[in-house]
Amino acid sequence: MEGSVAYDNDLNLKATELRLGLPGTHEEQQAVSSSTVRNNKRPNGESDARNETAPPPKAQIVGWPPIRSYRKNNSQPKKTESEGVGIYIKVSMDGAPYLRKIDLKVYSGYPELLQAVENMFKFTIGEYSEREGYKGSDYAPTYEDKDGDWMLVGDVPWEMFITSCKRLRIMKGSEARGLGCGV
Amino acid sequence: MHKKTAFSFPDEVLEHVFSFIQSDKDRNSVSMVCKSWYEIERWCRRKVFVGNCYAVSPRMVIKRFPEIRSIELKGKPHFADFNLVPDGWGGYVFPWIVEMAGAVPWLEEIKLKRMVVTDESLELIAKSFKNFKALVLSSCEGFSTDGLAAIAASCKNLKELDLRDCDVDDLSGHLLSHFPDTYTSLVSLNISCLGSDEVSFSTLERLVCRCTNLRTLRLNRAVPLDKIANILRRAPQLVDFGTGTYAADLRPDSYSDLAGAFSSCKELRSLSGFWDVVPDYLPAIYPVCSKLTSLNLSYATIQSPELIKLVSHCPNLQRLLVLDYIEDSGLEVLASSCKNLQELRVFPSDPFGVEPNVSLTEQGLVAVSSGCPKLQSVLYFCRRMSNEALVTVAKNCPNFTRFRLCIIEPRTADYQTLEPLDVGFGAIVQYCKDLQRLSLSGLLTDRVFEYIGTYAKKLEMLSVAFAGDSDLGLHHVLSGCESLRKLEIRDCPFGDKALLANAAKLETMRSLWMSSCAVSFRACKLLGQKMPRLNVEVIDERGPPDSRPESCPVDKLYIYRTVAGSRFDMPPFVWTMEDDPSLQLS
């Protein structure tokens, strides 16, 4: 209870004492002002974007420019699929209460993608082999391709994968083991 | 109990009078005159608009308005459109449908925006509302064509099925074939967002044929150009038409067939679609251009000369959506040809390119502002801007109600003077006294917010990104903008002070979004404790905010007023700050 009185003082004194001082002159929070641009989805994190003298490289800021995703996907002629537009797909994991979304363009290959998914859902996929699929865990990463079929991640070349993958599903348990054992 | 004096009307008379009052604001005012008016009004209110589905519970709404026929709900914050709201945040419509299914069986119309709609919800709608007439889903997700099929199959009186920019799971269920053969009530159908769903053309043609009241038909990309003529011939009464893909290998006779089909549609006023346009086929629409009031070419990847030709055929255009392929030259032609233009939206063809790929600059905007006296609403993406241009635009268009400028590179200065664009936007808010919506971009200091707080008295929605220097900026807006309802901010150095000092203001607004700013977890907690009628949601995918020091800034913050208390459907990455009654301001 007493602790909140301190907050009250904080509110009454400092909040109403709005000065035209330079930002960061007297607040313990001033450290945050330099890192306001955070690129959650980029592995090669962007440095402080307030540095206006250096024009930023082509690394994208999440949600900028503010264009809706269906517009990004639809308005380009086919040839620009390889340029800066992200490929966002949904990722579901059996047993998880909610889905996630990732941008496949961010990853350079399967190992990076699988690592990211492992981190996202806090689990480990096994080791991939062409013969036996994923061994060593209860999970198998699968994806739905353009034809609506569910495929095991890793069988096709990466470039082919990212253009044909519509969504990702981490299968668990007996369903997963069935896939891994080679049909 | 109140006495009926000789001067009070019988309830039926008042009800009849109220039936002429349609606007929500007026209805709300009526209900506050006195208790008896409140009672009469609530029994005869037929339409309810809930701008934030978490501001009130479905039960409360239905309890107060038991006889509604139409409900409109909005869910996720606007920045969800740009992937800033993580999946699973919320906005589920199912609890609403469940409540209404039981209590409001005569519901006719459901309009949803940015909500999560499941097939289960759609099936429940199909089952529960015998007189269901209109379903409008705008930017919704979570459902598939199976759910839609249930609606098509069961709703005999359905007039409107409008899917705007929804993310639909295409299960190739041949949606249209689920409309029974006896079904003829369709007035408006918009399936433009259905991706790969194969449309059976014979089914479509038969549907169009038997639904003689059809006024709006927007097809999806899967419908090829050579099928359009047959559809148009069967629906010459169409007012609003959206093509599918506008490309084919047309034989000369099928081209003239198409042109003939368009010219048979004497009522056509609005066109859209135009994916993959082959310019040679555009002249097919010339017969209808002179009467067109609305044209959406924002998917048409055609170049300036073709756009210019097209636009010069449309003198009555009021609304134009187009890609920046139109360039400054095309906008100059627009300015001289389309004197009735009210709304212009120019989208970027290459949003992530660093170098401009087209010659579209501030000049195009200036030209349109100068030539089109009725211009009210602008959305403009470009790569450079100047204060001079903005001041000119502001003086040319004092009637602006919506001005959204997106300079693609964040923090871009005035390209002529290298100064911030404060003065330019300042002019906009100063001259455009009726401005309701404003989106800022470019290099901006706290000064622009001072202008906004001083002049933008009718401003209801403000979008801010990569702008400002300090809390003073936010303070100007919160303390000055009297009509402000929605404020969304990303990547600005706004922190605790302005927010806490203006806490009471937040209860007068629908919502505030702040992401990648400098608001500490401590301030969020404090706000949540002191303001019981606000939900203060901290959205942070890094993990629980109390696993970090209190002074750490939260990733995303969404604050909205509510009479429903904390919600129960939050995902693991959302925390609502708790009320503490002992801390309330008296």
Side-chain angles (χ1 to χ4, degrees):
Chain A
M1 211 55 111
E2 279 310 296
S4 48
V5 174
Y7 294 145
D8 259 324
N9 287 340
D10 213 37
L11 170 62
N12 288 338
L13 294 179
K14 295 211 182 136
T16 52
E17 199 189 16
L18 291 159
R19 314 176 327 168
L20 284 171
L22 291 171
T25 45
H26 75 287
E27 280 297 313
E28 62 272 23
Q29 289 138 272
Q30 50 100 1
V32 306
S33 61
S34 60
S35 57
T36 51
V37 175
R38 191 178 308 115
N39 299 331
N40 305 358
K41 302 195 183 207
R42 300 289 164 259
N44 52 324
E46 183 62 29
S47 63
D48 181 4
R50 291 192 69 176
N51 183 7
E52 284 132 24
T53 51
K58 236 187 134 187
Q60 293 168 39
I61 302 168
V62 176
W64 191 268
I67 308 173
R68 303 174 58 187
S69 38
Y70 69 85
R71 203 170 268 292
K72 286 187 232 173
N73 295 337
N74 284 337
S75 67
Q76 297 306 315
K78 314 295 194 300
K79 68 168 172 69
T80 59
E81 255 176 13
S82 53
E83 289 168 9
V85 182
I87 303 178
Y88 280 93
I89 56 151
K90 291 183 185 170
V91 185
S92 65
M93 164 135 147
D94 290 352
Y98 57 94
L99 280 60
R100 303 301 303 271
K101 252 204 179 134
I102 56 174
D103 176 2
L104 290 179
K105 299 220 76 172
V106 162
Y107 308 105
S108 50
Y110 288 117
E112 238 195 321
L113 168 67
L114 293 176
Q115 180 77 63
V117 170
E118 282 179 337
N119 287 341
M120 205 176 247
F121 287 101
K122 311 268 180 292
F123 73 106
T124 358
I125 305 178
E127 269 210 43
Y128 174 76
S129 77
E130 225 181 73
R131 263 197 62 206
E132 296 184 321
Y134 290 86
K135 270 185 66 172
S137 83
D138 262 354
Y139 298 96
T142 65
Y143 70 99
E144 187 185 5
D145 72 357
K146 279 194 175 133
D147 302 321
D149 296 317
W150 285 92
M151 317 285 294
L152 188 68
V153 169
D155 287 338
V156 303
W158 175 253
E159 288 304 324
M160 186 187 293
F161 167 73
I162 59 173
T163 53
S164 58
C165 171
K166 274 174 57 175
R167 69 196 318 164
L168 216 52
R169 174 185 165 200
I170 313 299
M171 277 190 190
K172 191 184 162 159
S174 52
E175 259 191 288
R177 282 193 280 281
L179 255 185
C181 290
V183 173
Chain B
M1 293 298 293
H2 63 277
K3 287 188 284 197
K4 275 209 176 138
T5 71
F7 302 109
S8 70
F9 294 112
D11 290 1
E12 301 79 41
V13 173
L14 280 172
E15 220 181 281
H16 182 68
V17 171
F18 294 169
S19 69
F20 294 100
I21 299 169
Q22 302 289 351
S23 102
D24 294 316
K25 274 181 76 180
D26 292 341
R27 277 268 173 173
N28 291 343
S29 305
V30 160
S31 70
M32 292 201 290
V33 166
C34 62
K35 285 194 185 137
S36 64
W37 279 36
Y38 176 93
E39 273 303 305
I40 298 167
E41 194 280 320
R42 78 180 187 90
W43 281 97
C44 66
R45 178 134 14 165
R46 296 283 173 260
K47 280 176 128 158
V48 163
F49 167 76
V50 180
N52 173 6
C53 64
Y54 291 118
V56 66
S57 74
R59 194 160 294 184
M60 283 178 193
V61 173
I62 294 167
K63 185 153 177 267
R64 180 173 170 190
F65 303 115
E67 296 285 332
I68 50 171
R69 298 283 178 270
S70 162
I71 187 158
E72 184 174 348
L73 298 171
K74 293 189 180 180
K76 299 184 206 173
H78 173 239
F79 274 175
D81 285 355
F82 316 126
N83 295 321
L84 288 178
V85 178
D87 276 353
W89 171 83
Y92 305 103
V93 79
F94 189 66
W96 289 83
I97 309 292
V98 166
E99 283 292 335
M100 293 189 294
V104 193
W106 296 110
L107 193 70
E108 294 177 0
E109 182 176 271
I110 296 175
K111 295 184 176 173
L112 306 175
K113 188 164 186 178
R114 282 189 212 101
M115 294 197 75
V116 178
V117 181
T118 55
D119 284 347
E120 200 185 355
S121 302
L122 294 174
E123 282 152 20
L124 190 53
I125 292 172
K127 234 179 25 182
S128 315
F129 306 117
K130 298 302 170 203
N131 200 27
F132 196 67
K133 293 198 173 130
L135 183 66
V136 178
L137 302 179
S138 184
S139 308
C140 295
E141 50 156 2
F143 60 102
S144 77
T145 43
D146 282 354
L148 297 172
I151 301 273
S154 311
C155 301
K156 300 193 205 24
N157 295 317
L158 192 72
K159 287 191 173 167
E160 188 175 351
L161 181 60
D162 185 345
L163 309 172
R164 289 175 207 173
D165 315 326
C166 291
D167 187 4
V168 185
D169 231 342
D170 283 333
L171 301 180
S172 287
H174 304 290
L175 170 62
L176 299 182
S177 58
H178 290 269
F179 285 111
D181 290 334
T182 48
Y183 170 74
T184 58
S185 347
L186 199 59
V187 173
S188 172
L189 179 67
N190 177 2
I191 52 169
S192 55
C193 64
L194 292 188
S196 57
D197 199 29
E198 278 160 35
V199 177
S200 154
F201 304 121
S202 54
T203 308
L204 175 60
E205 282 170 28
R206 281 200 309 273
L207 181 66
V208 166
C209 223
R210 65 181 186 274
C211 296
T212 52
N213 289 322
L214 194 64
R215 290 282 179 273
T216 297
L217 179 63
R218 295 192 182 181
L219 302 171
N220 60 334
R221 202 171 181 174
V223 179
L225 191 56
D226 52 345
K227 299 294 177 197
I228 299 295
N230 280 344
I231 293 164
L232 288 176
R233 287 208 190 277
R234 281 161 175 73
Q237 76 283 5
L238 278 180
V239 173
D240 181 326
F241 181 64
T243 74
T245 193
Y246 206 83
D249 267 322
L250 286 189
R251 302 182 311 273
D253 53 327
S254 40
Y255 171 82
S256 57
D257 196 25
L258 181 64
F262 269 113
S263 43
S264 71
C265 296
K266 308 281 184 218
E267 311 297 321
L268 210 48
R269 297 290 176 268
S270 169
L271 282 179
S272 58
F274 297 108
W275 285 281
D276 320 305
V277 172
V278 171
D280 288 342
Y281 302 143
L282 273 178
I285 68 170
Y286 286 176
V288 296
C289 281
S290 63
K291 291 196 192 155
L292 277 187
T293 56
S294 171
L295 189 52
N296 184 350
L297 294 168
S298 61
Y299 300 109
T301 52
I302 48 176
Q303 304 302 317
S304 188
E306 285 102 25
L307 284 166
I308 287 175
K309 257 192 280 180
L310 187 49
V311 148
S312 16
H313 276 83
C314 306
N316 286 310
L317 211 55
Q318 294 172 11
R319 185 169 185 260
L320 177 66
L321 279 66
V322 72
L323 287 171
D324 58 6
Y325 289 129
I326 195 169
E327 299 193 325
D328 290 339
S329 52
L331 291 175
E332 275 154 35
V333 172
L334 181 69
S336 58
S337 312
C338 303
K339 295 304 184 186
N340 289 327
L341 196 70
Q342 294 172 19
E343 179 178 353
L344 174 67
R345 299 193 188 205
V346 179
F347 295 97
S349 52
D350 183 16
F352 303 109
V354 175
E355 294 305 317
N357 61 324
V358 291
S359 178
L360 180 104
T361 69
E362 80 285 0
Q363 293 306 320
L365 181 59
V366 171
V368 179
S369 76
S370 169
C372 303
K374 298 187 188 169
L375 194 63
Q376 274 185 1
S377 171
V378 165
L379 170 62
Y380 199 77
F381 284 82
C382 61
R383 285 187 159 82
R384 76 174 201 203
M385 189 48 60
S386 66
N387 283 311
E388 186 186 356
L390 283 172
V391 172
T392 307
V393 167
K395 289 181 175 169
N396 286 339
C397 295
N399 294 325
F400 269 165
T401 52
R402 280 177 274 282
F403 186 71
R404 297 157 70 189
L405 178 67
C406 180
I407 304 165
I408 289 178
E409 184 59 39
R411 302 194 186 92
T412 302
D414 178 324
Y415 78 96
Q416 290 173 326
T417 64
L418 299 184
E419 286 173 357
L421 291 170
D422 300 335
V423 165
F425 279 105
I428 295 279
V429 292
Q430 194 180 344
Y431 286 97
C432 308
K433 301 198 191 313
D434 292 326
L435 197 67
Q436 290 169 12
R437 184 168 180 184
L438 178 64
S439 298
L440 305 172
S441 59
L443 182 64
L444 297 165
T445 72
D446 283 346
R447 231 175 126 210
V448 73
F449 298 109
E450 194 178 350
Y451 289 133
I452 292 173
T454 306
Y455 294 110
K457 295 305 181 187
K458 301 258 178 80
L459 192 67
E460 298 181 11
M461 181 170 180
L462 179 65
S463 307
V464 185
F466 306 103
D469 308 311
S470 75
D471 273 57
L472 206 48
L474 180 57
H475 177 68
H476 283 309
V477 171
L478 290 177
S479 57
C481 297
E482 292 160 3
S483 310
L484 195 63
R485 293 188 298 115
K486 292 178 279 184
L487 180 57
E488 48 185 23
I489 302 172
R490 63 162 297 175
D491 294 281
C492 296
F494 300 146
D496 299 347
K497 281 184 299 190
L499 201 56
L500 293 173
N502 291 283
K505 170 75 174 176
L506 300 176
E507 262 188 28
T508 70
M509 293 165 53
R510 181 185 298 173
S511 65
L512 167 65
W513 169 278
M514 290 178 77
S515 57
S516 304
C517 295
V519 180
S520 71
F521 181 49
R522 180 199 300 138
C524 296
K525 281 198 292 192
L526 191 58
L527 204 54
Q529 284 163 356
K530 287 180 156 295
M531 309 293 296
R533 285 185 301 205
L534 293 182
N535 274 355
V536 177
E537 290 189 10
V538 169
I539 301 166
D540 210 320
E541 293 179 281
R542 298 171 296 177
D546 55 18
S547 64
R548 288 178 290 277
E550 274 192 347
S551 56
C552 254
V554 299
D555 183 22
K556 298 171 186 182
L557 178 60
Y558 185 49
I559 301 173
Y560 54 90
R561 66 179 176 187
T562 179
V563 293
S566 293
R567 56 186 177 111
F568 306 114
D569 59 359
M570 292 180 298
F573 52 85
V574 176
W575 293 266
T576 300
M577 304 294 103
E578 291 304 317
D579 305 334
D580 185 344
S582 65
L583 274 180
Q584 273 151 52
L585 302 165
S586 56

